[in-house]
Amino acid sequence: MTLKNKINLSLIIFSILIISFLVFIIHPLFTGIKNNSEDLIFKKQKLLSLETKIENLEKFQSLWQEIEPNLEKNDQLFIDPKVPVEFISFLETAARDYEVPIEISSALPKKIEKDPWPSLFFQISSTTSFPKFLKFLARIETGPYLIEIQNLNARKLTEKELKSKESERFSLGDVKTTLSIKVYTSR
């Protein structure tokens, strides 16, 4: 073999070794580094996300401690739809306080689509002086329950009505009122 052939053979073997070195050692090494870098970036992002969630949870816990008493008060705004005794007792007490005789009738609970909560409807009828009725109305509007006045009809008693035996205790300035209210209930 000539010197030129030996050099060419050496160059070919050396080239094959370099290519083999690049393909079998360097390329997997860089691929591994790339994969490990991507994995590290993913884990860092996940860690940042968890840290943010922990921070938000801590903020929520402190906020919850501040608003929890108000949430308990909010629960008291709603009446029990199955047994609205407390609400009816509230109406009767308010009526008694302002000397307003009332008759209460109620309907079945309803869930109207546009309303955020289910509700009960009550109709309150009364015959009394208008100022007393206004005080009674103001009391139930500012009471501890979440209500909405649906309808209010008030008319002055006529002389004919005052002459009947049932209306002996009323005077000429008294009014006959019918009040329809919606009271929101717990779910």
Side-chain angles (χ1 to χ4, degrees), residues 150-161:
Q150 298 291 302
N151 190 11
L152 172 62
N153 291 321
R155 67 175 179 80
K156 193 173 180 179
L157 290 176
T158 64
E159 288 184 33
K160 184 178 179 183
E161 288 174 318

Side-chain angles (χ1 to χ4, degrees), residues 9-171:
L9 182 63
S10 297
L11 281 175
I12 291 173
I13 291 174
F14 185 69
S15 297
I16 290 173
L17 285 174
I18 289 178
I19 291 172
S20 297
F21 179 75
L22 289 174
V23 169
F24 295 114
I25 296 177
I26 300 294
H27 183 302
L29 184 65
F30 281 117
T31 303
I33 290 172
K34 179 183 174 192
N35 290 342
N36 288 342
S37 297
E38 289 173 354
D39 189 41
L40 180 64
I41 290 170
F42 174 75
K43 287 181 179 178
K44 280 186 177 182
Q45 288 173 343
K46 192 171 182 180
L47 180 64
L48 285 173
S49 172
L50 287 174
E51 287 175 349
T52 304
K53 286 180 182 178
I54 289 171
E55 185 178 309
N56 288 340
L57 182 61
E58 289 171 351
K59 286 179 184 177
F60 176 75
Q61 285 175 333
S62 66
L63 181 64
W64 178 259
Q65 290 173 352
E66 292 175 24
I67 65 172
E68 188 175 19
N70 292 333
L71 291 176
E72 291 173 7
K73 289 178 186 176
N74 286 349
D75 287 342
Q76 295 171 357
L77 290 174
F78 302 101
I79 67 171
D80 183 355
K82 294 178 182 127
V83 187
V85 175
E86 288 182 26
F87 178 70
I88 293 172
S89 176
F90 163 72
L91 291 175
E92 290 172 345
T93 301
R96 192 172 34 256
D97 290 348
Y98 295 108
E99 300 172 357
V100 176
I102 60 171
E103 292 178 20
I104 304 170
S105 59
S106 68
L108 294 174
K110 288 185 182 177
K111 174 66 173 122
I112 300 172
E113 283 187 34
K114 65 177 179 151
D115 285 346
W117 306 285
S119 55
L120 278 175
F121 289 88
F122 289 90
Q123 185 168 334
I124 303 168
S125 301
S126 176
T127 305
T128 187
S129 70
F130 195 64
K132 286 181 181 179
F133 180 78
L134 287 179
K135 288 177 185 176
F136 168 74
L137 182 61
R139 174 67 180 112
I140 63 172
E141 284 181 322
T142 59
Y145 300 101
L146 188 57
I147 68 167
E148 182 179 325
I149 295 178
Q150 298 291 302
N151 190 11
L152 172 62
N153 291 321
R155 67 175 179 80
K156 193 173 180 179
L157 290 176
T158 64
E159 288 184 33
K160 184 178 179 183
E161 288 174 318
L162 288 171
K163 290 180 183 176
S164 72
K165 284 193 171 194
E166 300 149 358
S167 301
E168 287 179 350
R169 62 178 188 238
F170 303 117
S171 64

